Each structure stands twice: as structure tokens, then as C-alpha cells.
Amino acid sequence: MKRKMPRLLLAAPASGSGKTLITCGILQALVNRGLKVASFKCGPDYIDPMFHGRVIGTKSRNLDTFFTDEETTRYLFLKNTEDCEIALAEGVMGYYDGLGGVCTQGSTYEVACVLDFPTVLIVPCRGASLSILATVRGFLDYRGDSHIRAVILNQISPMIYTQLKPLLEEELGVRVLGYVPKLDDLNLESRHLGLVLPGEIEELREKLNRLAGKLEETLDLDALLALAEESEELLADKPEIPTIFKPEHSAGINPDFGSRTAVEGNVHSCDTCSLRIAVAEDDAFCFTYLDNMELLREMGAELVPFSPLKDDCLPEHVSGLILSGGYPELHAKELSGNAAMRSTIRDALKSGMPCIAECGGFLYLHRELEGDDGNFYPMAGFLDARAYRTDRLGRFGYINLCAREDGLLGAAGTTLRGHEFHYWESERCGDTFHVKKPVGKREWDCVVGNEHLYAGFPHLFLWSNPEAAYSFLKKCEEYNRC
């Protein structure tokens, strides 16, 4: 696969610099101009891609050089931009901040290097003027191949901007693509935990359109598009992927996987495929890497969405189950009230139906779950344990997983990459996988598993080991034949 794809990466010196707000505003402005835009978020983030898909309407994915090697990262980028005119990526944390905060591996900068991204540094300017040049120079010079080609000055007055722009361009040789004034009335507070309720969408779209209109005034979007056009051609080979079935034709996954209506008829679309996998997909279970779903589909699976909140049974003729992460604790009362679905899922797992349950999905399988309101509610009851709230993040960040015994995702020794992020804890975290942090000495056992089950807090990125995804589908195929 070889293609010239106009692209830009928006980065910042640190979190809290305003890059998410500005990225959303630019995305909306490009969509308003009639461009077909692909958006990306660096790092293990579900919330921003979900927000981009639901509210802005872009095709949104993740870019993560810890999860995937350089070749696979380039392949996924090119694959996910095939039908687009421009790609815009948002960085994570500070530009050079990588694993453990002490190296550039897994950083936004590494993504820029692997994908040869022209990078725009968003510089927070509150309380500073000439010192801004020192900040920019530091980021330009810290690595000789910084990829930083331009800057946007954030939270700065028009007067100071007009004074600093020529200094930045003349002294540092970096393009200045405009500024963003302080915008107190255009924040995105409604993105609470990434949840977007149906009644909020129009209000958020109106707010983003106002933001886009403001950025059309203060940013040089034509120069930004011209910079994207300077991107070099990318080349990537398609990884070898084992298949259960080979569909005669393929259909991509709708970028708005958070909308059940949008998914139906788009994800499960292979006429020759008989391996149907039920995928939980609603406001309680919405943390799903779309690249994971596309990998399963490419291997021959038919992905069928269902709602543990609203439906009373699993879809017909399914041979496997995926319970993604999300917010079951915020919907504990409603999930508990759907006794028919809880019973259906418990019986399916008791019959040996293969199941991947990550984080929120893992919580749902417990006997009881403490809701966000402090009350305990009955859940599916497949795992005889309680899940409860804590006052801190128990385990956070990237992890390397290794299977301690044969199981659903492969033989003992099978490795995968993923991450954890959760305030809830379990009385039964399991011990079928051993986990190590990529930096430091911390390690632990986790995951309740066997030949038919993977249930634990780690979120998996299946492209880190496609054979694990294949093993899951093979177990589903065996169950289908029984």
C-alpha cells in the first residue's frame, strides 16, 4: 500500500494546553468546508474518537506506537484514510512524553516520526510574551528531526500576537498559522467522561460550529491545508492475517460505532460468513477500539451489535460475545433491571460461549456491582464476586500481558499489549495472565480466564497480536459446530 495522504498532527508542550478544543474546532471547520476528514487520537483513548464520530461526524481512530510496530502503524493509518481527503491527528500529553515519562517511545513525537507527520505545536501563551519564543525553540531543538513545522498560539490577545508572529518566523524560522483568544464560552464540558446524550448532540454541534467560525477568523486554515499537502508519500505492507472465512466483499465500520442505528447494516455485511459475534454497544458499553472490530471482520466474523441496557436477549445464532469497557457503574440500576438479558448472558457463558469481557464488561459479569450512586446491584452473576468503587486509580497505563496458561486467546506464553484505567476493583481479578509495566518494576497477575473466557480489567489492542484474535474466532467456530 502506497499513497500520498495530506496530513497534520496537532501537538502541545503538555496536557491542558488546549489542543483538544482546537483540534475539534479545526475538524469542524474542515467538515464545514466539505472535506472528507479522517481524525486520529494518539495513545489509548476511546473518548475523543467517540466524540469525533458522534458529534463532528469524522471517521476517527487511534494511533499508538506502543500497541503496534512501525509497519502496522503505517498500514492502519493508510487503511483508515483510504476514502478521505485529509487526516488530522491530535497528540497525547506533552509532545515528547513517552513511556514512564522518561523516554520518547510511545510519545506523540514517535507517531510523528513513524508517519512523517508535519506537526503543528499548539503553544499556551497565558501569562507570557517573549518567553514563548524560548519555549518554541526548545521544542524545535530538543530533537533534530522534531517534525514541528508550524505553531498556533493559544490564549493570547490579538495585539501581542501581532508582535510575536514576526519574531517567531524571523528568529526561529517556524510558520505561525494564527492564534486562538481566550474562549470561555466555547469549552466542551458536556464531554463528561466522553458521554454524549442524544439531547446534547445538537447543542454541542452548535457550539462547535461557533468555535469553527471563530477559528476561521483567527487561524490561517488555508495555510494549514497547504502544510498538510506537503506531506510525503507513505508506504506500508499489509500484515498477514489468518482468516476463518473470506468474505466476497468488504464493508468498513461506520465511524460512529457509538450509535447503534449507524452500526446496523454496516459492521455485519459478509454474505458468505456464518460466524456471528455479538458485540455489546450502548451507553454502558462504548469503549471499543474500532480497529479491533475491523480486524475480527477481516478474519471473517460477522459482528452483530446488541444492547445489554435495552434488549432482552442476545442476537440470534451468535457463536461468541464481546463485552467492551464503558460505564456500567453509571447505568447499574438499569442494567440490573434488565433481568432477562442478565440471565441470557449468564446462561450463554455457562454453555461455553466464548466471551471477551474487558473492564466494564468484566464488571458486568460479577454477582454484584456497586453503582456510581453507592448502591450494589445484581449483575449477570457469572462470576461469584462483587465489584466495588475505590477512591483512586488502581492500575493505570500501558501494560504487556503474557498468558500463564492455555486459554481463549492462545496457548500459554501468548503475549498482547493493552492498558488499564479504572477506579472500580474486583474481589476476583483472576490470575490467568501475568502483566508487566513496560517501564519500571511493577507487575501482577490478572484476568479470569479459561478456554472460553477472557474477563479482566485490561483493555486489549488486538493488532498487537492478531493471532490472539484468530484464536478467539477459532473457539467461536468450535462452539458454533457443537
Side-chain angles (χ1 to χ4, degrees):
M1 187 182 298
K2 186 177 183 181
R3 190 168 76 254
K4 176 179 170 63
M5 184 66 214
R7 58 193 181 275
L8 285 175
L9 190 154
L10 301 181
S15 297
S17 299
K19 61 179 178 291
T20 295
L21 182 72
I22 293 172
T23 298
C24 288
I26 292 175
L27 285 172
Q28 187 66 64
L30 298 181
V31 169
N32 291 350
R33 288 186 174 202
L35 293 171
K36 186 69 180 293
V37 185
S39 60
F40 293 87
K41 174 67 178 183
C42 298
D45 189 301
Y46 296 102
I47 293 174
D48 284 339
M50 182 168 56
F51 183 82
H52 296 165
R54 286 187 177 190
V55 181
I56 302 173
T58 59
K59 179 180 180 179
S60 192
R61 298 289 191 273
N62 296 80
L63 295 171
D64 197 306
T65 52
F66 172 75
F67 286 160
T68 52
D69 60 33
E70 293 186 8
E71 189 72 19
T72 303
T73 302
R74 283 190 290 267
Y75 167 74
L76 290 175
F77 175 80
L78 289 174
K79 179 177 180 296
N80 286 320
T81 57
E82 282 178 333
D83 56 348
C84 297
E85 298 171 88
I86 185 172
L88 189 68
E90 179 192 347
V92 60
M93 300 178 62
Y95 186 49
Y96 293 109
D97 299 334
L99 299 181
V102 295
C103 66
T104 59
Q105 183 185 355
S107 66
T108 302
Y109 163 72
E110 186 174 60
V111 172
C113 293
V114 170
L115 292 167
D116 197 11
F117 259 116
T119 299
V120 179
L121 188 70
I122 296 171
V123 186
C125 301
R126 187 176 179 180
S129 55
L130 190 61
S131 295
I132 293 165
L133 272 74
T135 298
V136 175
R137 180 181 290 280
F139 276 84
L140 290 171
D141 293 347
Y142 182 66
R143 289 288 188 268
D145 57 344
S146 74
H147 290 270
I148 297 171
R149 307 276 289 281
V151 298
I152 290 172
L153 304 186
N154 188 30
Q155 291 198 322
I156 192 171
S157 71
M159 181 183 69
I160 297 179
Y161 170 74
T162 57
Q163 296 171 338
L164 292 183
K165 182 179 188 298
L167 296 177
L168 283 159
E169 293 182 333
E170 293 166 12
E171 293 189 27
L172 304 185
V174 66
R175 300 178 223 184
V176 182
L177 299 183
Y179 72 99
V180 180
K182 190 174 182 181
L183 301 171
D184 289 332
D185 61 330
L186 291 175
N187 54 54
L188 297 177
E189 291 178 354
S190 294
R191 291 173 64 258
H192 169 65
L193 294 177
L195 292 174
V196 182
L197 301 176
E200 294 180 294
I201 290 178
E202 288 307 315
E203 179 184 347
L204 285 166
R205 284 176 179 160
E206 188 276 332
K207 182 179 287 188
L208 283 172
N209 274 305
R210 286 194 288 124
L211 174 60
K214 187 66 178 178
L215 296 187
E216 285 278 10
E217 297 173 3
T218 65
L219 299 183
D220 189 345
L221 293 181
D222 290 330
L224 184 142
L225 289 170
L227 177 58
E229 290 288 346
E230 296 176 12
S231 303
E232 297 294 329
E233 194 172 61
L234 281 177
L235 173 66
D237 293 328
K238 180 177 180 178
E240 291 292 328
I241 299 172
T243 58
I244 302 292
F245 300 103
K246 293 186 178 181
E248 293 178 355
H249 62 278
S250 63
I253 293 179
N254 191 296
D256 186 4
F257 195 74
S259 169
R260 192 175 179 204
T261 302
V263 174
E264 290 176 347
N266 286 282
V267 180
H268 52 92
S269 57
C270 67
D271 298 332
T272 61
C273 174
S274 62
L275 191 62
R276 290 163 57 86
I277 309 298
V279 182
E281 187 260 304
D282 56 24
D283 285 341
F285 303 97
C286 51
F287 285 0
T288 304
Y289 283 124
L290 298 185
D291 283 324
N292 280 353
M293 300 298 100
E294 183 66 15
L295 175 61
L296 294 173
R297 193 202 58 78
E298 285 190 27
M299 289 180 169
E302 181 182 355
L303 306 181
V304 188
F306 76 101
S307 171
L309 281 170
K310 304 296 184 183
D311 297 335
D312 56 11
C313 63
L314 290 171
E316 293 183 348
H317 310 304
V318 294
S319 303
L321 175 63
I322 295 176
L323 296 168
S324 301
Y327 304 110
E329 68 277 9
L330 299 184
H331 302 273
K333 185 175 181 179
E334 189 175 359
L335 287 168
S336 183
N338 191 349
M341 178 59 78
R342 292 192 289 115
S343 176
T344 297
I345 288 180
R346 181 173 62 253
D347 291 345
L349 268 59
K350 285 183 176 179
S351 75
M353 178 181 286
C355 174
I356 294 175
E358 299 176 332
C359 202
F362 169 53
L363 297 179
Y364 180 69
L365 295 184
H366 283 64
R367 182 182 71 252
E368 287 184 313
L369 169 64
E370 182 180 2
D372 194 53
D373 59 5
N375 296 316
F376 279 87
Y377 295 92
M379 288 290 122
F382 183 72
L383 302 177
D384 187 18
R386 299 175 103 200
Y388 55 93
R389 184 176 188 166
T390 69
D391 60 357
R392 65 178 67 87
L393 280 172
R395 293 173 292 281
F396 167 68
Y398 288 124
I399 51 175
N400 290 305
L401 299 95
C402 181
R404 299 178 66 238
E405 56 191 65
D406 295 350
L408 177 64
L409 302 182
T414 295
T415 60
L416 286 140
R417 291 190 169 189
H419 73 284
E420 289 196 24
F421 186 101
H422 53 92
Y423 285 90
W424 264 248
E425 193 51 84
S426 170
E427 293 176 340
R428 186 184 174 190
C429 287
D431 60 1
T432 59
F433 275 79
H434 188 69
V435 163
K436 291 184 178 181
K437 299 288 288 182
V439 175
K441 299 180 179 179
R442 193 177 182 193
E443 56 186 274
W444 62 91
D445 291 335
C446 62
V447 180
V448 179
N450 54 39
E451 290 291 322
H452 309 288
L453 180 69
Y454 169 96
F457 282 114
H459 298 272
L460 305 175
F461 198 76
L462 296 178
W463 280 95
S464 67
N465 184 355
E467 289 291 339
Y470 181 69
S471 176
F472 166 64
L473 293 185
K474 287 294 290 182
K475 294 294 195 307
C476 294
E477 184 185 39
E478 293 170 8
Y479 178 84
N480 188 41
R481 291 200 302 262
C482 293

